Amino acid sequence: MRLKDKVAVVTGAASGIGKEIAATFAKEGAKVVIADLNLEQAEVAAKEFQSKGHEVLAVGMDVTDEAQVNAGIAKAISHFGYIDILISNAGVQYISSVDALPFLEWKKLLSIHLDGAFLTTKACLKNMYQRGRGGSIIYMGSVHSKEGSLLKAPYVTAKHGLIGLCEVVAKEGAKHDVRANVICPGYVRTPLVEKQIPEQAKELGISEDDVIQKVMLKDTVDGQFTTTKDVAEIALLFASFESNALTGQSLIVSHGWFMQ
């Protein structure tokens, strides 16, 4: 088992990519903290994992609320003893052109993606540094961490920002053997992406099929969505690769959409 007895906190873990990563880590021997805004959903996911013999803790967490983040991480440490891995995955999406985007939506998205990443990182680093056993901080970026896109100004801005945060954490964390990385998926057919399809169709004046084929998948090599399993396998790679050789790096997982 590649993560035996490691403790991993995964935000946004009650569904989608976060849940897949949590499941993958649990299968590899990790003790997993399912942190999610929706505590009820997190508890359902935790019971599902526990029925398979995994050690799991559900925690309600609004990642934009410093008190909630600190309390959630404290609960995880109290329950499992320490933190080895953070997957900063919580996120939302708004579809709008810049000229029509409400400022409140701009601020809310940046707060969830960037404030959330900062607050959870800060809380976990304190334990990692104090414990002196190293650790892994993994941010959920996007292909949009590398390039722009129509109708997604706050999302693209936030995902670019995670690259900068990762690089700083990698440099500061090196003396403590704490590594930092960003995973940059292409479109993954989660509820977040499903919601975007009709929204983009309306904004662009095209069919939903055209959104999928001519917008989302047009630059992939095989016309396929990235899967949650694709992303979880890369998260496992970063979390289990206990060397500074890859720290500070971001990896694009997009079926060839963006090659760098």
Side-chain angles (χ1 to χ4, degrees):
M1 289 186 170
R2 294 163 69 182
L3 297 177
K4 183 171 174 57
D5 294 329
K6 298 290 186 182
V7 176
V9 175
V10 185
T11 67
S15 63
I17 293 172
K19 186 178 180 183
E20 185 75 32
I21 292 173
T24 299
F25 282 17
K27 290 173 188 174
E28 290 291 337
K31 303 170 186 177
V32 180
V33 179
I34 298 177
D36 203 279
L37 182 64
N38 188 326
L39 177 57
E40 185 177 343
Q41 265 193 306
E43 289 174 337
V44 170
K47 287 177 182 176
E48 177 188 332
F49 289 3
Q50 287 163 350
S51 71
K52 298 174 182 176
H54 302 312
E55 292 188 64
V56 182
L57 173 69
V59 173
M61 185 184 292
D62 176 350
V63 297
T64 70
D65 184 319
E66 185 172 15
Q68 280 198 35
V69 169
N70 290 342
I73 298 303
K75 183 177 180 180
I77 294 168
S78 175
H79 188 83
F80 287 126
Y82 50 88
I83 305 291
D84 294 295
I85 302 160
L86 168 66
I87 305 291
S88 176
N89 170 72
V92 295
Q93 177 65 283
Y94 296 122
I95 300 300
S96 174
S97 58
V98 172
D99 60 294
L101 180 70
F103 185 38
L104 284 176
E105 291 191 356
W106 167 273
K107 290 195 292 184
K108 182 177 179 180
L109 189 148
L110 263 65
S111 182
I112 292 169
H113 288 263
L114 292 178
D115 294 353
F118 166 74
L119 290 172
T120 52
T121 297
K122 181 180 179 182
C124 289
L125 283 180
K126 288 181 177 180
N127 179 257
M128 291 176 181
Y129 288 177
Q130 183 180 34
R131 186 168 173 245
R133 298 285 297 275
S136 173
I137 307 288
I138 301 172
Y139 301 104
M140 194 55 59
S142 165
V143 168
H144 294 122
S145 297
K146 305 288 187 176
E147 67 175 26
S149 177
L150 297 172
L151 309 176
K152 296 182 180 180
Y155 186 81
V156 171
T157 301
K159 293 303 188 183
H160 274 69
L162 290 176
I163 297 283
L165 177 59
C166 168
E167 291 176 354
V168 172
V169 173
K171 288 180 180 293
E172 291 184 355
K175 64 184 178 183
H176 302 281
D177 291 324
V178 173
R179 310 173 309 282
N181 295 99
V182 183
I183 302 172
C184 299
Y187 284 101
V188 181
R189 203 151 189 179
T190 61
L192 194 68
V193 167
E194 291 287 357
K195 180 175 177 288
Q196 290 179 51
I197 295 171
E199 291 175 344
Q200 290 204 45
K202 181 179 178 181
E203 288 286 340
L204 297 172
I206 59 178
S207 71
E208 292 187 16
D209 282 344
D210 279 348
V211 170
I212 294 170
Q213 299 302 326
K214 297 180 180 179
V215 176
M216 293 182 168
L217 303 180
K218 69 181 179 69
D219 292 323
T220 63
V221 297
D222 55 9
Q224 298 296 313
F225 281 98
T226 303
T227 67
T228 56
K229 184 177 180 181
D230 292 335
V231 180
E233 288 297 326
I234 299 305
L236 177 60
L237 168 67
F238 282 142
S240 62
F241 192 75
E242 296 186 352
S243 162
N244 282 330
L246 294 178
T247 195
Q249 300 302 312
S250 56
L251 185 59
I252 300 165
V253 189
S254 64
H255 287 240
W257 166 9
F258 188 94
M259 299 185 190
Q260 189 179 60

